[in-house]
Amino acid sequence: MKQFITKGGLVLVGGAFQGFGMGLFLFPQSIPSGGAGGIAILINHGFHISMGLSLWIVNFTMLMLAVKYIGKRFTLWTIMGITVTSLSVTFFASIFSIPYRNLLFDLVVGSVFLGTGIGILMRQGVSNGGVGVIAFIISHGRNILPGKPLFIINCFIFLTTAAIISWEIFFFALVSQWISTTVVDIICRIDSYQPYTLGWRKKT
């Protein structure tokens, strides 16, 4: 029970860190936080749906497509993570405001918080949702750190987002992903404790 509560607390913290980085720093500058973030920006741009809700829709849809492969417990924990993240995006974006914004500052700080949140979730065996689910599956199947596949997959989505909105987005998104995925791998290398696992498995 203690491990379960600890895991739940860390999932809440990881989701909140992601939401803080995205809602307060990255999304106001239209910088995609990742593949799901890029798609969410496109939905917001085309249909004027709030970023928090758009992000949740994208993440939940991708998660449902993969549920048969990743297992129900993994899915439930990830739903918890993406819900906290989406609520945090809406909360921080609506409650806090930065009067004098600096693009470089927002890019760096937002990416560090994003990577920290994703890393905390992945240390607990929980995906950050969206294409993170795919990256998590690849990292387990090939026994590699999740940062690299996450970066590669996201790049394809960034190209689409940049082509529709602005090509500057692609450059900023790449820098953000480099920073955040580097932080993810740093956190995933930490061996100071054994995370409580959730019975991740491949479909047999």
Side-chain angles (χ1 to χ4, degrees), residues 33-54:
S33 59
I39 298 173
I41 288 175
L42 290 176
I43 293 175
N44 173 262
H45 178 77
F47 301 98
H48 306 291
I49 300 175
S50 69
M51 284 301 305
L53 180 58
S54 298

Side-chain angles (χ1 to χ4, degrees), residues 25 29 47 49-50 85 91 94 98 103 109 130 136 146-147 165 176 182 192 196:
F25 298 104
Q29 298 285 7
F47 301 98
I49 300 175
S50 69
T85 297
F91 174 78
S94 60
I98 301 176
L103 177 59
V109 175
F136 196 87
I165 299 179
S176 176
T182 298
S192 59
Y196 170 69

Side-chain angles (χ1 to χ4, degrees), residues 106-119:
D106 287 349
L107 174 63
V108 174
V109 175
S111 300
V112 169
F113 273 101
L114 172 66
T116 301
I118 295 174

Side-chain angles (χ1 to χ4, degrees), residues 25-97:
F25 298 104
L26 297 179
F27 286 166
Q29 298 285 7
S30 295
I31 300 174
S33 59
I39 298 173
I41 288 175
L42 290 176
I43 293 175
N44 173 262
H45 178 77
F47 301 98
H48 306 291
I49 300 175
S50 69
M51 284 301 305
L53 180 58
S54 298
L55 185 66
W56 190 89
I57 291 172
V58 174
N59 281 328
F60 185 79
T61 300
M62 291 187 177
L63 194 58
M64 290 300 99
L65 293 175
V67 65
K68 291 183 179 180
Y69 183 84
I70 60 180
K72 293 180 179 178
R73 281 188 291 174
F74 181 95
T75 300
L76 290 174
W77 279 110
T78 301
I79 287 176
M80 177 181 174
I82 65 175
T83 300
V84 172
T85 297
S86 297
L87 291 175
S88 297
V89 167
T90 301
F91 174 78
F92 289 117
S94 60
I95 300 299
F96 299 96
S97 63

